[in-house]
Amino acid sequence: MIANLLGRLAFEPFAKALPQMGDTERAALEAGTVGFEGQLFGGKPDFDRLLAMPPNRLTAEEQAFLDGDVRELIAMLDDFAIDEARDLPPAVWQFLRERRFFGMIIPREHGGLGFGHFAHAAVVTRIASVNVAVAVTVMVPNSLGPAELLLHYGTDAQKRHYLPRLADGRDLPCFGLTSPYAGSDAASIPDTGVLTEREIDGKRVRGFVVNFDKRYITLAPVATVVGLAFQAVDPSKPEGQQQLDITCALIPVPTPGLQIGRRHRPMDSAFMNGPIRGEDVFVPMDWIIGGEPQVGQGWRMLMECLAAGRAISLPALGAAMQQGALYVMTGYGRIREQFGLPISRFEAIAGLIARTAADLYATDAARRYTAAALDAGERPSVASAILKVQLTEAGRRAVTTGMDVLGGKGIISGPSNLLGVAYRHAPIAITVEGANLLSRALIIFGQGAVRCHPHVMDEMAAVQAKDEDALGKALLAHAGHVMRNLGASLFGAGLKGRVPTGLEKEARLIARVSAKYALTADLAMGLLGGKLKRMELLSARLGDVLSHLYLAACSVWRFKAEADEAMLPFARAAIRFQLEAAATVLHDLHANLPSGVLRALSPLLLHGTGHLAPLRDRDLVALSEALRTQPALVARLCPDFAPPATGGLRDLADALRLADALGDEVPELNRAVRRTNSLQAAAARSRDPEAALAYLRAADKVIQVDDFPAEPRSDSR
């Protein structure tokens, strides 16, 4: 009775308050599944459920591939030479094909490696720690593209033909979605295909005549099969019914009318990227992914696949940038001395190193947890968007911080440069596969508000079905949800579930901030309704808080999964930094709510978030000192980093290995070099002169930078 009355009274104003939503937007919102991020959004995190997710596991075959094939590939890579050549060496291209790097996600029965998501991510991360261009070349065929789409939606004939060829590299794929006039608004692509028939080999064949203009397409210049998204049109249908919606097809290269092969140069990187254009390209119905029944289903297909793929490839690049930067900062910080001390002992640098390490612990925890969820069969679309944004931003942050630590060493190009190429590449991951600006402002909270909230989707479904009774029941449940979070915000949120010893206080803080976030999200949605969709600064903040909570919670899971007591200080620091960031954003959010009443109530609603016990300076210095004196801790934080066979990173790894062998004698050797200004004289005083000289020469090689012959000067007079 009450529910029915409430539904009747609320139906019209609630229907007006809900944002208008087209079919393509609805498909994006409904894609994927909801995991622990839903509990954080609802303000009721159950840590037993979080910790029930099993740890990451590699099969024997996956581990052997990482230890063998990937290591062999890395030994072939020269980052500077590849960057200068703007292409991979022919031997590397051949190796990638022969060892089926392009078929990691393709099942064994189709000729692929059949790897899980965690193994796929580990391979990309390890390659990217040495060379981003090779990592991108490997990740694209294994990410959103023809293979993924064929596996889920292809016809049996398409799978039989293409999957073995994609697995062994006989076919190299690319996928064309972005157009010059449809970038972030990818669903509005203007490329059209008109349904028609043509006579081919004496038979009438149904298909589409497609005209398209695509750009920013990775692997396009070398692709032998092009995945294409276009707007399908059937002119034979009545007016208003001719648009069949986005459709995905596979086009072999060459095909009449298809123009392919020119290159873009994203930040002058060596990986292949370029435009694709087509004029009156005939696409038979057999080339439509899934055949004629899948015409018009392309956007749903893309969104469902992206829910998984977005959590793997670009986050792997971000993780590689972070691990590489931390390795460089800690290693160079030990080797390089100023004022008679290793530079990592100066607090200004120690603080940067500690924050980077804590950042890496949290982001890699989220990456690993989400990979475990994917391997368990989930498709966490909101979490994958969080990962894409947070990992790529953290990668950029880490590399920029590393450049600050390197100083002049970091800005001189050449084989000895430790982070220069990664620094130049960092904006690429930020920009592609859903620009972070868009993902923060629209996707994480926009999709999260519908998918993660325990009642909003029920309310929307009731309005769409014009079911007043169902709407009333959903609203009553929603009201109870708000009151529970109001109570938890005012009087404290209890801890649900058991957490690892040493992280109890941090878990309680996560629960507290989660309840305050859930209340804030409901207040914002209730106050602003559909207008919140257009208030992108507010919705971005709401998405950021959820992101920080997710990274903090995943850090609890990681510590439990790894059971490594030595990592407890880093787990605590990671959680504290994420919660501090979440609280800061919450305060900014409340300060910008368009309601004087709510702003006045904010101190009460946000009580207890003003100072979430952030780390003190002495804590940061202690973390950095632990990394300086215990290299094993760096290895645990950077398990995917592998130095290449040549170049500056190899030099740094060699110097650190030799320093570890000498132990506590290194400081005295460095002082002796300053006194004598001679490597040989300094080494002669060592208990092992040969080892000492090897170290000093290696350290000197790390400190030096490259120079090149002067270019001829033109006479400007």
Side-chain angles (χ1 to χ4, degrees):
M1 174 79 72
I2 296 176
N4 187 269
L5 176 62
L6 178 61
R8 288 204 308 272
L9 293 173
F11 188 86
E12 186 173 343
F14 200 82
K16 290 180 179 178
L18 285 175
Q20 295 299 309
M21 196 178 307
D23 290 341
T24 54
E25 193 172 12
R26 186 179 302 279
L29 287 174
E30 294 177 352
T33 60
V34 177
F36 192 73
E37 66 277 11
Q39 296 199 359
L40 293 167
F41 196 103
K44 297 186 292 185
D46 181 351
F47 286 93
D48 282 342
R49 178 177 171 183
L50 173 77
L51 300 180
M53 184 66 67
N56 305 119
R57 290 283 186 265
L58 294 171
T59 66
E61 292 81 3
E62 291 166 345
Q63 189 65 60
F65 190 82
L66 282 166
D67 293 340
D69 301 76
V70 174
R71 184 172 295 176
E72 191 174 344
L73 171 65
I74 286 172
M76 301 170 67
L77 305 182
D78 184 323
D79 194 35
F80 182 75
I82 290 173
D83 194 60
E84 288 284 289
R86 298 200 184 103
D87 194 4
L88 281 55
V92 171
W93 279 110
Q94 186 62 26
F95 187 85
L96 295 176
R97 288 184 169 96
E98 289 176 354
R99 303 300 176 91
R100 301 183 184 252
F101 277 83
F102 299 129
M104 285 190 289
I105 68 167
I106 296 175
R108 290 182 175 275
E109 58 265 30
H110 294 294
L113 296 176
F115 284 177
H117 294 89
F118 178 63
H120 170 196
V123 170
V124 174
T125 306
R126 293 194 183 185
I127 298 171
S129 72
V130 174
N131 184 264
V132 170
V134 177
V136 170
T137 301
V138 168
M139 83 184 193
V140 167
N142 291 287
S143 185
L144 179 63
E148 179 86 358
L149 293 170
L150 285 169
L151 285 169
H152 288 90
Y153 311 105
T155 65
D156 289 341
Q158 289 169 342
K159 292 177 182 178
R160 284 195 302 270
H161 174 75
Y162 276 115
L163 290 178
R165 298 177 62 85
L166 291 168
D168 63 20
R170 281 175 289 167
D171 273 330
L172 280 176
C174 68
F175 194 89
L177 176 61
T178 304
S179 298
Y181 294 96
S184 295
D185 186 12
S188 69
I189 54 175
D191 313 284
T192 57
V194 179
L195 185 63
T196 186
E197 287 189 358
R198 282 192 178 175
E199 186 170 317
I200 299 177
D201 297 331
K203 296 180 181 180
R204 300 296 294 177
V205 178
R206 283 167 57 81
F208 294 90
V209 174
V210 188
N211 289 278
F212 55 90
D213 184 5
K214 304 290 189 181
R215 67 178 182 182
Y216 310 151
I217 312 305
T218 301
L219 292 190
V222 293
T224 62
V225 58
V226 174
L228 184 74
F230 64 91
Q231 298 280 2
V233 178
D234 183 355
S236 68
K237 288 183 175 291
E239 192 72 29
Q241 301 178 28
Q242 295 180 354
Q243 296 295 325
L244 305 180
D245 291 329
I246 292 176
T247 299
C248 295
L250 294 177
I251 303 176
V253 180
T255 287
L258 175 64
Q259 303 169 35
I260 187 171
R262 295 182 65 82
R263 286 188 70 173
H264 297 311
R265 287 163 56 178
M267 300 308 295
D268 218 17
S269 180
F271 69 85
M272 292 291 168
N273 185 284
I276 300 172
R277 299 181 180 93
E279 184 175 349
D280 294 336
V281 176
F282 183 65
V283 177
M285 204 61 73
D286 286 348
W287 293 5
I288 302 299
I289 297 178
E292 190 160 359
Q294 294 292 347
V295 169
Q297 300 300 310
W299 190 248
R300 175 183 61 81
M301 293 158 59
L302 291 169
M303 290 302 100
E304 288 175 355
C305 288
L306 193 61
R310 189 184 265 148
I312 299 297
S313 297
L314 290 169
L317 292 188
M321 285 190 284
Q322 286 181 275
Q323 292 184 34
L326 183 64
Y327 182 87
V328 166
M329 282 189 277
T330 55
Y332 190 73
R334 289 173 58 195
I335 298 296
R336 177 66 163 162
E337 290 194 354
Q338 292 290 282
F339 306 102
L341 289 174
I343 62 171
S344 60
R345 295 189 63 182
F346 292 96
E347 288 192 359
I349 290 177
L352 296 178
I353 291 173
R355 284 183 174 273
T356 301
D359 211 11
L360 172 57
Y361 189 94
T363 54
D364 219 28
R367 183 176 71 93
R368 291 165 180 273
Y369 176 84
T370 309
L374 287 165
D375 282 331
E378 297 183 20
R379 290 293 181 269
S381 54
V382 175
S384 68
I386 290 173
L387 246 64
K388 194 275 173 179
V389 171
Q390 292 296 319
L391 268 292
T392 55
E393 292 289 354
R396 174 163 64 176
R397 213 162 39 239
V399 171
T400 301
T401 302
M403 293 289 280
D404 290 344
V405 171
L406 290 173
K409 169 78 174 178
I411 62 173
I412 304 301
S413 292
S416 300
N417 191 291
L418 298 170
L419 289 175
V421 177
Y423 182 80
R424 201 174 75 241
H425 284 166
I428 299 173
I430 301 291
T431 304
V432 300
E433 211 169 280
N436 288 0
L437 188 66
L438 166 76
S439 297
R440 285 186 61 244
L442 297 177
I443 295 178
I444 295 174
F445 180 75
Q447 192 171 24
V450 176
R451 296 306 311 281
C452 295
H453 195 286
H455 306 295
V456 165
M457 184 167 274
D458 292 339
E459 293 162 352
M460 294 177 68
V463 170
Q464 186 175 15
K466 298 182 179 180
D467 187 335
E468 295 175 345
D469 189 59
L471 177 61
K473 291 177 180 177
L475 288 172
L476 284 174
H478 195 152
H481 169 76
V482 171
M483 295 307 296
R484 191 206 71 83
N485 283 321
L486 176 61
S489 296
L490 295 176
F491 306 113
L495 179 61
K496 187 176 182 181
R498 299 181 63 184
V499 297
T501 301
L503 293 181
E504 296 90 347
K505 186 174 182 179
E506 284 74 18
R508 290 190 185 94
L509 290 173
I510 292 171
R512 179 197 300 176
V513 178
S514 175
K516 293 179 184 295
Y517 169 72
L519 178 63
T520 300
D522 271 311
L523 290 174
M525 289 188 288
L527 175 68
L528 300 170
K531 292 190 296 184
L532 183 57
K533 178 181 176 182
R534 299 187 298 275
M535 302 180 74
E536 295 168 0
L537 295 175
L538 284 181
S539 63
R541 290 188 181 101
L542 286 162
D544 286 346
V545 179
L546 180 61
S547 299
H548 292 307
L549 284 169
Y550 187 70
L551 267 61
C554 290
S555 298
V556 177
W557 171 85
R558 178 180 180 179
F559 184 71
K560 169 69 163 52
E562 293 180 348
D564 187 349
E565 287 297 321
M567 286 288 104
L568 181 59
F570 294 94
R572 282 178 174 158
I575 297 168
R576 296 298 176 117
F577 279 132
Q578 294 301 323
L579 290 177
E580 184 182 18
T584 300
V585 176
L586 265 179
H587 282 267
D588 289 344
L589 199 160
H590 274 254
N592 285 280
L593 287 173
S595 167
V597 174
L598 282 180
R599 288 199 300 273
L601 290 174
S602 291
L604 179 63
L605 298 177
L606 296 179
H607 176 70
T609 61
H611 195 68
L612 287 175
L615 272 78
R616 299 181 182 276
D617 291 348
R618 64 171 179 263
D619 300 320
L620 294 175
V621 172
L623 287 177
S624 180
E625 186 66 9
L627 293 171
R628 187 182 74 84
T629 58
Q630 302 175 59
L633 296 179
V634 179
R636 291 175 196 174
L637 287 167
C638 307
D640 299 303
F641 175 80
T646 60
L649 290 174
R650 178 74 266 166
D651 297 339
L652 179 59
D654 290 342
L656 292 173
R657 175 178 51 81
L658 292 167
D660 290 340
L662 288 169
D664 58 7
E665 192 178 359
V666 169
E668 178 54 37
L669 283 172
N670 291 335
R671 285 192 289 270
V673 169
R674 289 193 297 272
R675 288 195 305 268
T676 64
N677 201 29
S678 167
L679 302 184
Q680 289 80 3
R685 306 182 184 189
S686 168
R687 57 179 177 259
D688 187 344
E690 186 177 348
L693 183 60
Y695 159 72
L696 291 174
R697 284 174 172 166
D700 182 70
K701 195 173 182 181
V702 170
I703 292 167
Q704 299 303 326
V705 297
D706 301 293
D707 51 44
F708 302 91
E711 297 179 2
R713 296 178 61 185
S714 60
D715 190 350
S716 58
R717 289 174 295 175

